[in-house]
Amino acid sequence: FRQVHLRRAHIRTKAWGLVTAFFGIAFTLEKIRSEGPLDPITILHYALLPVSMLAAWLPWSRFYYSHSLPFARFSIPIVSTLAAPFSAQAVAQGHMEVVTMVALQIVGIFQFTGLLYRMALGTCILVVAGFAVGAVIWSLPPAIAYTYVPIMCLATLLGAVESRGSE
């Protein structure tokens, strides 16, 4: 089953890997520019960037079928969950476009990462919870949090229903 699943997801994981690498590089460079190279959040980006690069390379390599799923099961939940609170921080700083990116990330976790259904669903739930925790930590106004957290829950529901229906 896993081999068939990975075969069906191969083109999508290639695309997702390239997008992940692009945004990993872009966000790291932006943090260096805006916060400086030694800011704690910039340092977190330094730690996450190699994961993004490996995610971009793996679907193009001969190791895709043997290593992709174990790597994705480990890396995608960790990276996605770590990024979610900082997305809430960006929204608290007025960058409302980040909410759209989080919703796209949720749908992408289901459709493009190659994760199996339960792992994708668990990861998306962690993303929503991480955003909610970040909303509390960075004092996101309640009206904004009460608007965007349900949108992320809806994106998770829609992604789950569509993903479940396509298996």
Side-chain angles (χ1 to χ4, degrees):
F1 171 78
R2 291 172 195 248
Q3 292 299 313
V4 170
H5 171 76
L6 287 172
R7 205 170 309 119
R8 284 190 325 207
H10 199 179
I11 292 173
R12 291 177 288 164
T13 58
K14 284 181 175 183
W16 184 258
L18 293 177
V19 169
T20 299
F22 172 78
F23 280 112
I25 292 168
F27 287 147
T28 301
L29 292 174
E30 172 56 25
K31 283 298 172 190
I32 292 169
R33 186 194 64 74
S34 65
E35 306 297 331
L38 299 178
D39 180 75
I41 295 176
T42 304
I43 292 170
L44 176 63
H45 281 269
Y46 295 152
L48 297 178
L49 189 58
V51 176
S52 298
M53 297 296 102
L54 188 55
W57 170 78
L58 197 55
W60 298 88
S61 78
R62 64 185 174 97
F63 301 105
Y64 173 71
Y65 290 102
S66 60
H67 291 79
S68 180
L69 202 51
F71 174 75
R73 291 179 72 188
F74 170 76
S75 65
I76 293 169
I78 291 172
V79 170
S80 299
T81 304
L82 284 174
F86 296 107
S87 297
Q89 179 189 30
V91 172
Q93 294 171 345
H95 301 284
M96 300 305 195
E97 70 279 2
V98 171
V99 175
T100 304
M101 292 178 64
V102 173
L104 289 172
Q105 176 187 15
I106 288 169
V107 173
I109 287 169
F110 280 110
Q111 295 301 314
F112 293 97
T113 61
L115 285 176
L116 297 173
Y117 178 76
R118 288 183 187 157
M119 182 60 75
L121 179 60
T123 300
C124 290
I125 290 169
L126 288 173
V127 167
V128 174
F131 186 89
V133 167
V136 171
I137 291 171
W138 281 287
S139 303
L140 195 63
I144 293 173
Y146 294 152
T147 299
Y148 292 132
V149 171
I151 288 171
M152 291 175 197
C153 290
L154 179 62
T156 299
L157 177 65
L158 292 175
V161 168
E162 198 290 322
S163 179
R164 190 62 176 177
S166 67
E167 285 190 356

